[in-house]
Amino acid sequence: MDDTLLSVGTEITGDSHYLRALTDMADQRTVVAGAAIYSENGVKLLDKGARIDSRLYDRLVQHKLREPIDRHLSIENPVDVPALLALTQELIEQQTLPAMLADALGSGARLLAPLRSLPLPPPMACKLTVMRDARNALFQHSLEMMIVAVFLAIKSGMSEQDCTAVAAAALLHDLGVLHMDPAWSDPDHKVVGIQRKHLVAHPISAMLMIRDTQAYPRSVEVAVLEHHERMDGSGYPRALLGADITPMGRILLLAEVVAAFFEKYDDMPAQRLSLVLRLNHRKFPSALVAFILPLLKEEVSRESLLMPLGSEAPQQIELLAEAFTCWEQLKAALPKDVVASVPAGSAFAFADSRLLALQKALIEAGSHPQHQSELLVHLKEDTMGMAEVALVGREALWQLQSILNASHRRWPQLAQRATPTDGAVADWCDWAERNL
């Protein structure tokens, strides 16, 4: 493991937001210190048996603790294995995605079986309890992702022991988010600067917390670290290519996307997800996608919900065309010898390859802006067809945004325009920030 990567995770992981959530939770349920709590320099902050509540926040946050506060806490009604089994069963009975996966396996019992031997030491149980009470949407996401991950593990032929490890990795993958400002999850809040650095580092932070418990195999640590990687190397934090991503990491990265679509969209989540998986086939593990795509058939017609989507298509096509044209013009303005000698790991090479890959994917899907204007004439009265064009457009625009975000994240010096090629990328990013 890269020492630089680990130092970033250690640096980014702060305690203030987690301590706030934990002490606020302790106002609602009994939380007691099972051992004395000391600061790093040996000052006793709390005696064994002391009751934790929000009044202690200011005192605790002023000190760096000798060891994580959740290592010796006793919590009323914690998240434990019986609670996880009950909550997972409830999701299978009430939510579309878990029910669909259980039906595909023949019963929910197969999804539940690996959870029965799930290791859950006190620090993990505490963090999950805080997540359940203070960040419930994050907790529900972790549960649904766990169900998808176990499904994929079972379909892949993994042993029950490995399925249990997959369940643990999926359940714990977002522990690092507990240490971030909750404002990041507000859809109206733009994540920039240090907050974006926190977001990118959260897989590292979660991996370090899991490692600290010494309760899980290394495969769990690595899978958690990899849950935002992509098969084409466009993910983070290490930009791994598919061959370098572990089997469990591949399961997690796909499970994250599958769960997110059913959480985010009330209308047509299956159709939206199917389009994304087909349009981005280079990003996701094809062997695992093959277990999901057959399940993503719409059960009923939703034409009334689809109608408003079609109206977005013309504007999306125009915006995509402008994005590609802007890049081609900036690229054409550079001397040919400069373009030919661009280093493989440069910002210019990254932006150029990603934009070309997106155009190729759109061409393969019959959805490139060059083809869509003519297509819209034929689809004008076809509500379902117009909606599918709009859905593809939404995904393509999201990918443009991800190219912009990755460029800023990986090359923060772009704004200095130190080279002509950096200047071209910076100019395209400026256009994207104004228009996307």
Side-chain angles (χ1 to χ4, degrees), residues 147-161:
I147 293 170
V148 180
V150 170
F151 170 82
L152 292 172
I154 292 171
K155 294 293 286 184
S156 299
M158 287 188 171
S159 66
E160 186 159 317
Q161 182 178 3

Side-chain angles (χ1 to χ4, degrees), residues 20-94:
R20 172 62 73 189
L22 188 154
T23 54
D24 285 351
M25 177 197 75
D27 286 341
Q28 308 303 319
R29 66 181 69 256
T30 302
V31 179
V32 176
I37 296 175
Y38 292 88
S39 69
E40 191 175 49
N41 58 9
V43 176
K44 183 188 283 188
L45 302 176
L46 288 175
D47 288 319
K48 178 180 178 180
R51 171 80 185 266
I52 309 292
D53 59 34
S54 60
R55 292 172 297 179
L56 292 174
Y57 171 77
D58 290 334
R59 182 180 181 188
L60 291 170
V61 80
Q62 291 175 21
H63 299 273
K64 185 171 183 179
L65 303 183
R66 177 181 292 175
E67 55 184 353
I69 190 172
D70 47 27
R71 187 166 291 176
H72 301 295
L73 295 183
S74 172
I75 304 175
E76 176 190 6
N77 186 28
V79 171
D80 54 16
V81 169
L84 286 173
L85 288 168
L87 289 166
T88 304
Q89 180 63 45
E90 188 176 311
L91 286 174
I92 291 171
E93 293 171 357
Q94 298 181 2

Side-chain angles (χ1 to χ4, degrees), residues 9-19 178-180 198 205:
T10 305
E11 171 192 345
I12 290 295
T13 304
D15 285 334
S16 61
H17 298 299
Y18 178 60
L19 277 174
L178 283 175
H179 293 256
M180 293 169 52
H198 279 73
S205 305

Side-chain angles (χ1 to χ4, degrees), residues 61-208:
V61 80
Q62 291 175 21
H63 299 273
K64 185 171 183 179
L65 303 183
R66 177 181 292 175
E67 55 184 353
I69 190 172
D70 47 27
R71 187 166 291 176
H72 301 295
L73 295 183
S74 172
I75 304 175
E76 176 190 6
N77 186 28
V79 171
D80 54 16
V81 169
L84 286 173
L85 288 168
L87 289 166
T88 304
Q89 180 63 45
E90 188 176 311
L91 286 174
I92 291 171
E93 293 171 357
Q94 298 181 2
Q95 298 296 323
T96 301
L97 177 60
M100 181 173 69
L101 300 178
D103 287 346
L105 291 176
S107 74
R110 293 189 68 190
L111 289 171
L112 292 172
L115 309 187
R116 300 185 188 281
S117 53
L118 190 72
L120 211 59
M124 297 294 100
C126 180
K127 290 181 189 299
L128 289 172
T129 306
V130 172
M131 190 186 290
R132 179 192 65 189
D133 290 8
R135 306 283 288 277
N136 191 254
L138 186 65
F139 182 65
Q140 293 299 318
H141 165 70
S142 299
L143 290 176
E144 291 217 19
M145 180 172 160
M146 177 181 69
I147 293 170
V148 180
V150 170
F151 170 82
L152 292 172
I154 292 171
K155 294 293 286 184
S156 299
M158 287 188 171
S159 66
E160 186 159 317
Q161 182 178 3
D162 284 342
C163 288
T164 297
V166 167
L171 181 65
L172 305 174
H173 78 284
D174 265 348
L175 290 183
V177 177
L178 283 175
H179 293 256
M180 293 169 52
D181 186 340
W184 81 271
S185 60
D186 182 347
D188 297 325
H189 177 76
K190 191 167 185 179
V191 180
V192 295
I194 189 63
Q195 289 185 342
R196 177 159 293 283
K197 192 176 180 183
H198 279 73
L199 187 60
V200 171
H202 83 267
I204 310 169
S205 305
M207 181 271 290
L208 291 172

Side-chain angles (χ1 to χ4, degrees), residues 1-6 8 199-204 207 211 218-250 350 409-410:
M1 195 71 65
D2 188 335
D3 289 340
T4 303
L5 197 67
L6 297 183
V8 169
L199 187 60
V200 171
H202 83 267
I204 310 169
M207 181 271 290
R211 174 177 294 180
R218 180 171 170 76
S219 59
V220 171
E221 299 174 18
V222 176
V224 167
L225 183 64
E226 295 173 343
H227 78 268
H228 278 298
E229 299 290 354
R230 293 292 181 264
M231 300 295 284
D232 64 352
S234 63
Y236 64 87
R238 294 188 289 171
L240 299 178
L241 287 168
D244 298 320
I245 303 172
T246 63
M248 287 189 187
R250 296 181 191 191
F350 169 80
R409 181 178 75 243
R410 296 171 66 173

